Structures are given as C-alpha cells and as structure tokens.
Amino acid sequence: MRIDVLTIFPEMFPTFLETSIVGLAHQKSKLLTNVIDIRKFSQDKHKKVDDYPYGGGGGMVMSPQPLADALKDCDCQQADEVIYFTPQGKPLLQADLHELKKKQRVVLVCGHYKDIDQRIRDKYITKEFSVGDYVLSGGELPAMVLIDGVARLLDGVLGNIDSALSDSFEDGILGVPSYTRPEEFEGMKVPSVLLGGNHAKIDKWRKDKALEITKKNREDLLK
C-alpha cells in the first residue's frame, strides 16, 4: 500500500514513519509512504501558502494554487482516495481503516490555518474525516493516526493479527482489561478466572467485561 502525505510541515513525519508498527510495515515492504512539501509548489516568491478569507473573518485560508499543483504532481487522479482531515468530516472509525487497508494508494491532505480553499475540497477530495470533536492546528496528527491505524491491519505486519482483531471497536464495543505477570502486584491480584485455563469461562468473562466497560464509557455504542 502506498500513502502520499501533503503537508507544509514535512519535518513532522520522518521519526514517526520509522518507528514502531509503522516502521515495521515499511521494513516488511507492506507500506510505502511519500511525504510531499506543499510549500515547494507555491508560486509566491516567499513561498507563502495562505491568504485572507473572502468575506472577512478571523484566520487565514490555505491558497488553492500550491495545493492543486502538489496534488497534480503526485498524480492524485490515480489514487483510490484523496482524504482531507477536518472537524467537519465524518468520524474516522475502525471500519474505515479496514476499508482503507484494501486500497492500493491513498493521498492524505493535511490542512492548516482556518481551512483550505473550498474549491480544492470540491474538485480533488474524495473523503473527509475527523478524528474527534475538537480542533487541532493542522492535519498532520490525524494523518499519523490514520497511517498507524491502517499499518497495523496490513497483512503480515503484526506477528499475531488476532491482537488487532480483538481490539476495541472490532466487534462494535470496547476492549477488555489486560493482565500480565506477576500474578500479584502492589496487593492487586489477576482475576482468578484468567488463571484457571477454562476458555469458555474466560470468553464469557471478557464479553461481560467488554459490555460493562462499554456501558460505562461509551453507552452510545450499545445502541
């Protein structure tokens, strides 16, 4: 899978792309990423990429020219999806990551300032995602969230894919508590059911705990 990232802060990505599961996905040739500096495509002599919004109001807007030229240069028409991160977008869900992992090529557009020019969104963007009901300074962190979420689902990246498939949201509810050695720590013991080797009882305990935690923290998922 190939992911192109368009950003005005390319220096944010190298360490992230070389680290942990994302780095492993690159090492195993399951993922190829290409980070593109939008500012290089600005025709302004100072490489400016923003301007004042028509109609007034606070904030600046990313200019369409550098973005359009960057998208054309990376041949975005050949991509399966061109994604823009915005609080106005659809919430990014685990089901979306599963769909995206099937794609051969995805382009991620990281906006900054107040927004990007709407005409870029109208002409080039195929999907818009939000990573939460809050506002960030730009799309770089959401892009990293998507890349990390997709990378761990790619075949052959994780040593045991069951680890990913038993995570929160995979079956529509939240995940369960996890324990490891030692059996007792600071006066707290591992639940005895996990030590007994009865897999039917363990499965039931985990299902009950998942429902309990989901009801407590995300009751909306149960609906």
Side-chain angles (χ1 to χ4, degrees):
M1 180 182 190
R2 171 179 165 181
I3 300 179
D4 297 290
V5 183
L6 276 61
T7 173
I8 60 173
F9 293 108
E11 62 271 21
M12 292 180 66
F13 286 89
T15 300
F16 162 72
L17 294 174
E18 296 168 1
T19 305
S20 188
I21 299 302
V22 176
L24 187 62
H26 283 96
Q27 292 171 25
K28 292 187 173 183
S29 300
K30 302 296 182 178
L31 178 65
L32 171 67
T33 51
N34 179 34
V35 181
I36 299 163
D37 187 353
I38 298 168
R39 204 177 292 277
K40 290 182 178 180
F41 295 88
S42 174
Q43 295 175 0
D44 179 82
K45 65 179 181 180
H46 301 297
K47 295 301 179 182
K48 184 179 176 183
V49 294
D50 64 314
D51 213 328
Y52 294 101
Y54 280 120
M60 303 290 279
V61 177
M62 285 190 75
S63 305
Q65 177 271 312
L67 270 170
D69 286 353
L71 286 162
K72 293 172 187 173
D73 185 76
C74 75
D75 202 15
C76 72
Q77 297 92 337
Q78 301 304 314
D80 298 298
E81 300 286 0
V82 180
I83 295 170
Y84 173 56
F85 299 101
T86 168
Q88 301 167 354
K90 171 190 178 296
L92 180 64
L93 304 178
Q94 190 70 12
D96 298 310
L97 300 179
H98 276 284
E99 285 301 311
L100 289 170
K101 78 168 185 178
K102 302 173 186 175
K103 309 297 184 184
Q104 292 296 312
R105 183 171 172 229
V106 173
V107 175
L108 307 181
V109 177
C110 303
H112 254 271
Y113 312 108
K114 182 73 173 177
D115 203 348
I116 66 173
D117 190 290
Q118 182 64 38
R119 290 166 290 187
I120 295 295
R121 295 168 71 172
D122 292 341
K123 183 172 182 179
Y124 295 98
I125 303 300
T126 63
K127 275 188 169 61
E128 297 187 349
F129 285 120
S130 165
V131 294
D133 294 341
Y134 45 84
V135 178
L136 299 173
S137 299
E140 286 76 17
L141 292 177
M144 293 180 191
V145 167
L146 186 149
I147 293 169
D148 186 276
V150 168
R152 64 195 311 278
L153 296 176
L154 295 174
D155 291 340
V157 173
L158 293 182
N160 184 355
I161 191 61
D162 288 341
S163 174
L165 299 181
S166 61
D167 285 339
S168 291
F169 307 113
E170 283 294 338
D171 56 1
I173 57 177
L174 300 183
V176 300
S178 298
Y179 298 88
T180 188
R181 294 173 178 79
E183 187 176 322
E184 184 174 341
F185 177 72
E186 296 188 350
M188 298 174 287
K189 295 183 177 180
V190 174
S192 59
V193 66
L194 300 179
L195 306 173
N198 188 320
H199 294 292
K201 287 185 177 180
I202 291 172
D203 287 344
K204 184 180 185 306
W205 180 87
R206 284 176 170 160
K207 288 176 183 177
D208 290 344
K209 277 294 180 181
L211 289 170
E212 177 186 323
I213 292 170
T214 304
K215 184 175 182 179
K216 177 183 176 183
N217 295 333
R218 290 291 306 276
E219 193 169 6
D220 58 296
L221 294 175
L222 298 178
K223 298 176 182 178

